[in-house]
Amino acid sequence: MIVETQGLVKTYSGKRAVDNLSFTLDPGTVTGFLGPNGSGKSTTLRLMLGLDHGEGSTTWDGKSLTEYPHATQVVGAHLDAKFFNPNRTARNHLRMLGAESGISNQRVDEVIDLVGLTDVAKKRPKSFSLGMGQRLGLAGALLSEPKVLLLDEPANGLDPQSILWLRDFLKYYASLGNVVFVSSHLLSEMQTMADHLVVISRGALIADQSMAQFVARSAQNDVLIRVADPAKLMAALEDKGFAATSEGDGGIAVHGVTTDQLGALAFGAGVQVNELRARTASLEQAFMELTSEGQEYGVGGGGQPGGQVPGSAAPSDGSAS
Amino acid sequence: MISALRYEWRRIFTIRTTFILLACALVISLLLGWITIEALHAIGSMSEGQESPETAELAGMQLTEMVFATTGGVIPLIFLGTIAAQAFGQEYRQGTIRLTLTSIPFRGRVFSAKLIVMLLVVAVGWVITTILTYLLMSVVLSSKSGGQSGGLELSYLGRGLLFVLGFCAIVFGVTLLTRILALGVIIPAVFWAVAEPLLITTLGGSVAGSGGTDGSMTVEQSQPWIAQILPFHNGMQFVEGTQNMASGGLVFLAWVVLVLGVSWILFDKRDA
């Protein structure tokens, strides 16, 4: 199933919370949804599900959600860890959610077991921790084995083991050919979990590209070369027009160049190379750089979603060449 | 639509509150019924120089009216009305409306399913409460008077049931308008029990007379203009079968339709 959002717009009191947002979610991929607080992530998810009214549309394999007999088999959403009645047991909460598509009690118990809530299944969730609430919400989203999972901050409140489990599970779920769309503030987790990123700021799209492409946009991506004669290499770099910064101890940081190019340049200049490696920014560094400038950033690839950033180097694997 | 009904049915019967409210409506009605008979008996006993006046007095009252005054009064209906208010009030308070509308992305079906299931539960709950209250009052009445109590007037109770359902539908709609469970119950109840009698008194003249427990008036009284448009006053005229029964029923129905209509429009237009 392919999910396409087209021109989503949501306005509150004249201020645009979501500004003409369009992106596509592909099957078999975990797509991270990033943006600063108040950037419109939750609003976007609600617009996609038809919970909020706004402009634009979201199609699920080309069809509106209302064209499917059972929406829960198309999309499972987990929007908040506290969306349950504190006096309805966890099991009954899931039985209620499953009633729409005739989910059996056996399936309810399977999902409870999957998210690790078996011991508290018959307890009322008013005493649940945030992490347990997240598990219950996730169970509700998974109940009908939907083709698309929309999860809003599902890792909040989870302990490290649960986060690891969540990461592995979502990657596994996507590998079955499903769409997984996850918003999160835990960027280190997102870096290991997501294959693709949709990044918004002030409601507008600033990136819709692979994780590697997004990270490659960071100005902190460079190549470090440590040589016996840095002055000679600096002169050669200036001749070629590369921006280089001396880092001491014979080290030079060079932007906009690959390790292959820099190795060849050093060889051509007759300089002995002691170390050569690409330094890739973390997702967090890239995210902070890009979102701090807000809407001034255009979409990568000359304004086309999913495109390559002009002038950026190819994603590096961080290894010396 | 069937799946929406199934969802709502499961929702309403997987929380204890529903059963507690139904039980409260029943217990309160039984208690009020018993107190009513005991009070009438005590009043009769206090009369001097007459032989068993309570028998005559009780026989003079329609048992059906007493039963309805007990089970269809404000206090029992607050409990049944809370079930109506919970249909949306609980969902908005706990945010589960977003889960509901994600599962069933058809607001019309969600609205209809909630209304139908609520009306069904309230109807069954009220009928059972009324039958049991009638039985209790009959037994107590017979034991006090030594005679046979009167039978139930089904047409009266049928109209009473429609009034109860209308009241709960208004509670349902007001809750949806305010999105606050407590207000959904309090506004209609206070309007019925306090505001309407005050309005009629201040704007339309006296309401003294043999009105019902809600302050409704009998046919002998002239209808002040304000009384002709008030929902619950007209609803009670419909129940009591006065000469204004038909118009009263229509006015009450119009209010029910109006509140439900406005609440539906806002439910459809507002964000969840």
Side-chain angles (χ1 to χ4, degrees), chain A:
Chain A
M1 174 164 293
I2 295 174
V3 183
E4 286 184 285
T5 69
Q6 192 65 45
L8 293 182
V9 174
K10 179 67 181 175
T11 306
Y12 293 113
S13 306
K15 186 183 174 190
R16 283 200 165 188
V18 177
D19 190 3
N20 197 26
L21 201 51
S22 302
F23 55 85
T24 302
L25 305 177
D26 293 317
T29 306
V30 176
T31 303
F33 191 26
L34 301 180
N37 283 337
S39 58
K41 298 190 298 296
S42 297
T43 307
T44 302
L45 294 179
R46 292 198 302 272
L47 283 170
M48 290 173 72
L49 293 166
L51 297 174
D52 283 6
H53 295 299
E55 294 170 39
S57 64
T58 301
T59 56
W60 315 76
D61 255 354
K63 293 197 282 189
S64 158
L65 208 50
T66 54
E67 291 179 62
Y68 290 92
H70 295 290
T72 49
Q73 292 170 358
V74 177
V75 57
H78 168 43
L79 302 176
D80 193 295
K82 293 291 179 190
F83 281 174
F84 52 71
N85 185 317
N87 293 312
R88 180 182 288 117
T89 66
R91 188 168 185 271
N92 276 338
H93 173 75
L94 296 176
R95 288 179 64 227
M96 177 192 80
L97 293 178
E100 187 276 333
S101 51
I103 295 293
S104 67
N105 289 341
Q106 185 188 349
R107 172 64 186 161
V108 168
D109 293 336
E110 277 174 18
V111 175
I112 287 173
D113 191 44
L114 178 70
V115 300
L117 288 178
T118 305
D119 291 344
V120 293
K122 291 181 180 171
K123 288 188 177 174
R124 286 179 283 168
K126 58 185 172 187
S127 59
F128 277 16
S129 66
L130 180 60
M132 291 163 82
Q134 294 284 18
R135 289 161 182 263
L136 184 57
L138 184 63
L142 292 169
L143 205 54
S144 298
E145 300 179 76
K147 297 285 181 195
V148 182
L149 270 184
L150 296 189
L151 309 174
D152 196 3
E153 304 282 354
N156 275 4
L158 293 182
D159 55 46
Q161 288 156 325
S162 301
I163 290 176
L164 183 64
W165 171 84
L166 180 69
R167 181 207 309 164
D168 292 343
F169 176 77
L170 294 182
K171 286 169 91 82
Y172 164 74
Y173 201 76
S175 73
L176 300 176
N178 298 311
V179 174
V180 178
F181 191 44
V182 194
S183 84
S184 178
H185 283 118
L186 300 177
L187 298 177
S188 56
E189 279 311 312
M190 190 64 89
Q191 187 156 21
T192 55
M193 184 192 301
D195 312 300
H196 195 90
L197 290 176
V198 171
V199 186
I200 63 171
S201 182
R202 296 178 205 170
L205 187 72
I206 60 172
D208 177 7
Q209 54 197 168
S210 72
M211 176 70 74
Q213 286 174 319
F214 180 78
V215 170
R217 291 174 67 170
S218 170
Q220 296 188 41
N221 291 309
D222 59 17
V223 176
L224 175 68
I225 185 165
R226 204 174 297 283
V227 293
D229 187 352
K232 193 173 181 183
L233 182 60
M234 284 290 272
L237 287 168
E238 279 177 24
D239 282 348
K240 295 287 181 183
F242 287 111
T245 313
S246 174
E247 291 199 349
D249 196 24
I252 300 171
V254 188
H255 292 274
V257 67
T258 65
T259 50
D260 287 354
Q261 289 170 324
L262 191 53
L265 200 149
F267 182 78
V271 178
Q272 175 190 326
V273 177
N274 299 324
E275 182 182 0
L276 177 62
R277 64 184 164 94
R279 296 191 299 194
T280 308
S282 66
L283 172 62
E284 186 174 73
Q285 289 167 326
F287 176 77
M288 295 303 288
E289 277 177 47
L290 294 172
T291 56
S292 66
E293 300 199 20
Q295 293 172 334
E296 290 177 11
Y297 271 85
V299 178
Q304 296 306 310
Q308 178 71 39
V309 181
S312 69
S316 168
D317 60 5
S319 61
S321 57

Side-chain angles (χ1 to χ4, degrees), chain B residues 98-159:
Chain B
R98 289 178 177 165
L99 301 181
T100 300
L101 289 174
T102 301
S103 298
I104 309 163
F106 303 95
R107 297 194 180 202
R109 288 184 199 173
V110 170
F111 183 90
S112 306
K114 282 184 177 294
L115 186 61
I116 291 167
V117 171
M118 180 277 290
L119 291 177
L120 186 65
V121 170
V122 167
V124 171
W126 189 78
V127 167
I128 291 172
T129 296
T130 300
I131 291 170
L132 292 178
T133 304
Y134 163 72
L135 291 174
L136 175 78
M137 292 176 83
S138 299
V139 169
V140 176
L141 185 58
S142 298
S143 69
K144 298 289 180 191
S145 66
Q148 293 289 314
S149 60
L152 276 176
E153 194 184 325
L154 289 179
S155 61
Y156 189 102
L157 285 182
R159 294 195 299 275

Side-chain angles (χ1 to χ4, degrees), chain B residues 206-237:
Chain B
S206 171
V207 288
S210 55
T213 53
D214 62 320
S216 62
M217 297 190 305
T218 56
V219 280
E220 290 77 22
Q221 292 172 291
S222 61
Q223 284 262 28
W225 68 269
I226 189 75
Q228 293 171 22
I229 58 168
L230 294 174
F232 302 112
H233 170 78
N234 281 280
M236 289 308 297
Q237 297 236 322

